[in-house]
């Protein structure tokens, strides 16, 4: 009996330690958040940015944190870093209108104005729909649709009239369709977060090469703050594509993944 009691007490002790550690971590995170907000209100934007970056190094990544950090950089006049952090905020929360508006304000000050290649309406609509919610939000939506689907299945099997069976079958097919597509959208958004194949140019001026080498043919010049898509990597070089379709190679040190 004593042996069992000791084992139980040991488990309780470890659970207690875990809970206390979690509470202290939450308290520390809250303290840093309040500190950063206070520094920002006082106009100490550099100090606030350092506090937010400290929170990131401690694993407290969130869309709100990136948005706040972007605001600090925007106030400091570091437009490129502001763009990078607003983009990261939108990556985690595509529905954040404040981050999107501030991003547009920051991008309006960038040197490069790239003309986006026109897309077919249905393709543009599809991309906008996928990007409207985050991966987690699409996952919750798919769960809700699946529960509704199960309800329609129950209606089909257990209803006493042919009309209700028909209704359950028809709505079940439609809801199953939405369930599958919401799962696909969730996976696509999850891949965007994990793969992060877009980047922001950090160097003031970059000459894009036709090959992954300094001796490669110079194709065109791009500037800091520009968003590019990473196609592939080779050593210290990356192949990028602009929104107008132009491609080329730049050094990894000249860009930072969103």
């Amino acid at each position: 009996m004593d042996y069992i009691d000791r084992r139980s007490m040991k488990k309780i002790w470890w659970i207690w330690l875990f809970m206390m550690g979690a509470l202290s971590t939450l308290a520390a995170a809250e303290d840093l958040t309040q500190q950063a907000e206070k520094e920002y209100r006082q106009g100490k934007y550099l100090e606030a940015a350092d506090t937010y970056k400290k929170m990131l190094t401690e694993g407290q990544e969130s869309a709100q944190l990136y948005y706040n950090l972007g605001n600090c950089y925007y106030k400091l006049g570091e437009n490129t870093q502001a763009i990078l952090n607003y983009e990261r905020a939108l990556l985690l929360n595509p529905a954040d209108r404040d981050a999107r508006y501030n991003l547009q304000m920051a991008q309006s000050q960038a040197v490069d104005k790239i003309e986006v290649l026109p897309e077919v309406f249905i393709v543009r609509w599809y991309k906008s729909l996928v990007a409207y919610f985050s991966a987690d939000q699409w996952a919750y939506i798919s769960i809700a649709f699946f529960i509704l689907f199960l309800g329609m299945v129950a209606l089909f099997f257990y209803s006493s009239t042919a009309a209700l069976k028909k209704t359950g079958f028809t709505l079940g097919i439609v809801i199953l369709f939405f369930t599958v597509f919401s799962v696909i959208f969730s996976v696509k958004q999850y891949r965007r977060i994990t793969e992060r194949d877009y980047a922001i140019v950090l160097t003031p001026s970059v000459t894009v090469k036709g090959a992954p080498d300094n001796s490669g043919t110079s194709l065109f010049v791009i500037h800091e703050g520009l968003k590019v898509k990473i196609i592939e990597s080779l050593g210290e070089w990356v192949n990028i594509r602009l929104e107008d379709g132009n491609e080329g190679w730049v050094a990894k040190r000249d860009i930072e993944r969103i």
Side-chain angles (χ1 to χ4, degrees), residues 114-140:
I114 305 298
E115 185 176 347
V116 181
L117 286 176
E119 291 181 321
V120 179
F121 167 75
I122 191 67
V123 175
R124 187 169 66 252
W125 177 83
Y126 170 78
K127 289 183 177 179
S128 298
L129 178 62
V130 174
Y132 193 79
F133 294 114
S134 66
D136 288 343
Q137 289 170 330
W138 277 120
Y140 294 142

Side-chain angles (χ1 to χ4, degrees), residues 152-168:
M152 293 302 102
V153 171
L155 181 65
F156 174 76
F157 281 107
Y158 297 107
S159 58
S160 57
T161 64
L164 286 177
K165 285 182 178 291
K166 185 177 180 180
T167 300

Side-chain angles (χ1 to χ4, degrees), residues 220-235:
F220 50 90
V221 177
I222 55 178
H223 302 85
E224 61 179 327
L226 182 65
K227 182 179 179 180
V228 298
K229 184 173 184 179
I230 299 174
I231 307 303
E232 62 175 314
S233 299
L234 183 62

